[in-house]
Amino acid sequence: MLPLNSSQIPATFVLMGWSGLEAIYSLISIPICFMFFLSVFGNGLILHVIIQDHKLHQPMYLFLSMLATTDLLFSLFTSPSVLGIFLFQYQSIRSKVCLFQMFFIQSLSIIESSLLLAMAFDRFVAICHPLRYTTILTSSVITKIGWVCAIRGTLIHVPLVTSLQFLPYCNGNVLSHSYCLHQDVMKLACDGTNTFNIMYGLAIILCTVTVDMILIILSYILIIKAVLHVTSEIEQYRLFSTCVSHLCAVFMFYVPLMALSIVRRFGIQVPPVFINLMANTYLFVPPMINPIIYSIKSQQIREGFYQTFYRRMIDL
């Protein structure tokens, strides 16, 4: 650990696993490896199917391909440090690598939140304005939405992550998670020197994830009102069923993220095991669950899987 009077960013940070459970790290690594494999395989397969099948080049599936790409990158950038701890007890990470990982965790989280909002807008147009669906969500509009999501998520975090390199650090170099988070690194800085990071980080949360969540809720209020005006119960069920996959993805993304943010920002005293559980749920579960949910609920995706594996079997 660094001395308390240090005034520069540590050369390395120490990542923490699940404190008190070091004896069973090898057992914990089994489900973590399994979730990582499912995330990479599932999202990679969905991405492959959508790219290969031209019938899936529709707004909903194009947004899904963007979501799968984001989840795939999220797993690839964040999981190595976690797997290193639980498989090899390797807890040290260079500061530049830590900041690099932090940047992508924060950026990809905002991008995913933006994409979930875009997918809510897609469902809103499809249900509330079905006759104008193809004219509103053209290929050009979808491409622009994708670029806006990517640029919004990346540019907004450049000042935040860059500023951490110039803070004086007085509180050691031990982080409380198995991957690098802005709040963790920021708390190691000397008292009174990180006001910009606190205010800017809070502004990012309020202007991105919070706004996205509010707009998603408003979208579904309008969707529910539109569906309730449909007289046929069968048609109501069909319309609601098209939203189930997206609602599950929204729930799995926002619940652990908001729980972790509330605990961190307001200093709520909870058992460390709960914090670690929420942190790893936020890291592994959404990228793993999303392809499973969409595979189960989307007949077109299932048919795409079948065609992919059927062709492979014929080729063999």
Side-chain angles (χ1 to χ4, degrees), residues 273-289:
V273 173
F274 175 81
I275 296 177
N276 286 322
L277 179 62
M278 284 293 98
N280 284 279
T281 298
Y282 165 63
L283 183 71
F284 285 102
V285 173
M288 177 192 70
I289 291 294

Side-chain angles (χ1 to χ4, degrees), residues 28 33 37-38 42 49-50 68 75 88 96 117 144 153 171 191 193 197 221 234 237 250 258 272 278:
I28 296 175
C33 289
F37 171 78
L38 277 184
V49 167
I50 293 174
S75 295
F88 309 109
K96 289 186 178 180
L117 174 58
K144 290 176 182 177
N171 300 310
D191 294 338
T193 63
N197 280 271
I221 291 174
I234 296 176
Y237 174 79
V250 168
M258 296 305 294
M278 284 293 98

Side-chain angles (χ1 to χ4, degrees), residues 100-114:
F100 182 80
Q101 184 189 53
M102 178 201 308
F103 174 77
F104 277 98
I105 289 177
Q106 307 286 130
S107 298
L108 290 169
S109 296
I110 300 301
I111 292 171
E112 180 145 351
S113 177
S114 303

Side-chain angles (χ1 to χ4, degrees), residues 295-307:
S295 300
I296 293 173
K297 293 299 297 180
S298 174
Q299 182 179 350
Q300 291 89 336
I301 294 292
R302 292 199 303 272
E303 290 175 353
F305 287 161
Y306 174 77
Q307 291 294 331

